[in-house]
Amino acid sequence: MPRTVHIIGAGISGLSAAVRLANAGHGVHVHEATQQAGGRCRSYFDAATNLTIDNGNHLLLSGNHHAMAYARSIGTEAGLVGPKSAQFPFVDLVTGQRWLLDLGDSRLPLWVFDESRRVPDTGVLDYLALAPLVWAPAGKEVGEAIRCEGTLYQRLVQPLLLAALNVDPPIGSAGLAGAIVRETLLAGGQACRPLIARDGLSAILIEPAIRLLQEKGASVSLGHELRELTTAGDRITGLKFGGDEIAVGPNDAVVMAVPPRAAAALLPGLQTPTKFRAIVNAHFRFDPPQNAPPILGIVGGLVEWLFAFPQRLSVTISSGDRLVDMPREELAEAIWRDVCKAAGVSGELPPWQIVRERRATFEATPEQNALRPKATTSFKNLFLAGDWTDTGLPATIEGSVRSGDRAADLAMRQVQ
Ligand SMILES: Cc1cc2nc3c(=O)[nH]c(=O)nc-3n(C[C@H](O)[C@H](O)[C@H](O)COP(=O)(O)OP(=O)(O)OC[C@H]3O[C@@H](n4cnc5c(N)ncnc54)[C@H](O)[C@@H]3O)c2cc1C
């Protein structure tokens, strides 16, 4: 029987739940606190560069199956673009060495056996030494499961895990790292094609979802912050938004897809991660050189990934807490020096913007991972979604969509 489901929060988790429910014929009302949907995955016009930029460069991989299915369901899969096969150019800023990691397009990690495709100066045994990570228990740190040193670590494992976990890999959760390795490196090049929303996160992943929801008769209310839940026994019976209050009927459900602090404030006693890590992005208004790869991995510098967009070079620095208080101009200069070396360009600092997301992700350590709650709650018609819930993955778009899909499925099946 069709139900009405209230979705609190219009980030990727909330929107993926909303789209799934609306596509299944349920009534959907999305309530978002801010004036813009997208949460930590959004675009905005930036006056400093005179460009529409994303709050952060977001990289997806072709093996992010839930994220890809979400994009397909809102008609924008083709807007996630990348090279035909899983090739990752890298540069080492200390030695100047450049190489291409070529994972090919197989379903098996056959590239490991081909010297010309793997990381230079590494051998098959180096890759086999990563095996303990693959099924590592949740309570272990990466540094307890594998040796965090050597050429393969510095040139591939460290950049991959730092990007995925957003913590210094040795202290990261080996369980979460193992999930990443299983779903990417171990699944062959076919699962590892790097994909970006070249036309912007909002244009590809957010606005089409809102349009689809509206076409299906769902409502999306911006500036509608949930302040309190009304309960009776084991059910949510009302939602208080400050100015107005909405009754939640006996057949209705609520999906709460808000960040952990907001969720804990609304649901006292809820256990959530309590520590977070920053991501720093810098955007430069600069036409990328014609041969610039869409994504360049950088080792030995301040910058970790360089993205080439039309009219713009953008960089990502994960676990960037050490940089959040650095004077902006100084940081922009330091990053631009790395960009010049990596991209082979020169010149004065062009118009720039730095976005420091202080609470970009929960800290993906075993300790914080253990605090992630399940989607079900003590209320029969209240379900949690969010990249910080217990998805088995670090805080990523893929994890967000999985959490949204799962919460939607639970809401559809809820026990009366
Ligand atoms: C800089 C940066 C770079 C990143 N890079 C990548 C990447 O390369 N690849 C990748 O896969 N992932 C990346 N991520 C992670 C990804 O952005 C997140 O995992 C994802 O966006 C989280 O979505 P969410 O819906 O779970 O949470 P959020 O995006 O936080 O959404 C929660 C929403 O709830 C709203 N809300 C809060 N309180 C209330 C309330 N009381 N009532 C109503 N609404 C409320 C918020 O305003 C927000 O819109 C990155 C994140 C950042 C910040």
Side-chain angles (χ1 to χ4, degrees), residues 8-14 31-34 36 38-41 55-60 224-227 257-259 262 266 279 281 357 360-361 386-388 395-398 400:
I8 316 299
I12 291 281
S13 308
H31 310 276
E32 163 58 41
T34 67
Q36 186 184 354
R40 279 170 281 152
C41 180
N55 68 311
N57 302 310
H58 279 60
L59 180 66
L60 283 167
H224 209 214
E225 180 182 350
L226 180 67
R227 302 272 172 81
V258 302
L266 288 161
I279 297 180
N281 277 256
E357 289 268 7
T361 69
D387 61 356
W388 56 276
T396 52
I397 293 180
E398 175 68 4
S400 303

Side-chain angles (χ1 to χ4, degrees), residues 128-333:
L128 292 180
L130 300 179
L133 203 54
V134 177
W135 293 107
K140 247 190 181 177
E141 290 183 351
V142 171
E144 294 171 319
I146 58 163
R147 217 168 54 97
C148 291
E149 56 190 23
T151 306
L152 182 64
Y153 177 76
Q154 278 156 13
R155 292 183 170 176
L156 177 61
V157 178
Q158 200 270 356
L160 173 76
L161 294 186
L162 177 60
L165 300 176
N166 199 27
V167 293
D168 195 19
I171 62 154
S173 155
L176 294 177
I180 295 297
V181 171
R182 283 197 304 280
E183 295 188 17
T184 58
L185 293 183
L186 212 60
Q190 201 174 77
C192 298
R193 273 182 60 226
L195 300 169
I196 51 173
R198 195 179 44 205
D199 297 334
L201 292 171
S202 289
I204 302 300
L205 294 176
I206 307 301
E207 285 152 12
I210 305 279
R211 278 197 296 277
L212 180 135
L213 288 169
Q214 287 167 342
E215 278 160 24
K216 300 241 171 219
S219 70
V220 180
S221 309
L222 300 177
H224 209 214
E225 180 182 350
L226 180 67
R227 302 272 172 81
E228 202 182 322
L229 295 162
T230 311
T231 62
D234 60 2
R235 301 190 72 82
I236 303 294
T237 52
L239 303 171
K240 289 187 180 170
F241 292 94
D244 56 332
E245 184 169 354
I246 296 176
V248 176
N251 208 24
D252 300 346
V254 178
V255 171
M256 197 150 77
V258 302
R261 278 181 146 195
L266 288 161
L267 255 189
L270 178 70
Q271 183 172 275
T272 70
T274 51
K275 293 184 186 165
F276 304 88
R277 289 293 172 112
I279 297 180
V280 175
N281 277 256
H283 308 273
F284 301 96
R285 188 185 175 107
F286 192 92
D287 285 325
Q290 264 194 341
N291 58 353
I295 302 155
L296 175 67
I298 301 175
V299 298
L302 175 63
V303 166
E304 290 143 13
W305 299 95
L306 173 63
F307 294 75
F309 290 98
Q311 297 181 281
R312 170 163 63 98
L313 287 169
S314 289
V315 308
T316 297
I317 304 171
S318 295
S319 193
D321 301 72
R322 68 196 184 283
L323 304 175
V324 292
D325 295 322
M326 186 168 168
R328 287 166 55 76
E329 184 87 21
E330 198 181 308
L331 183 56
E333 291 280 2

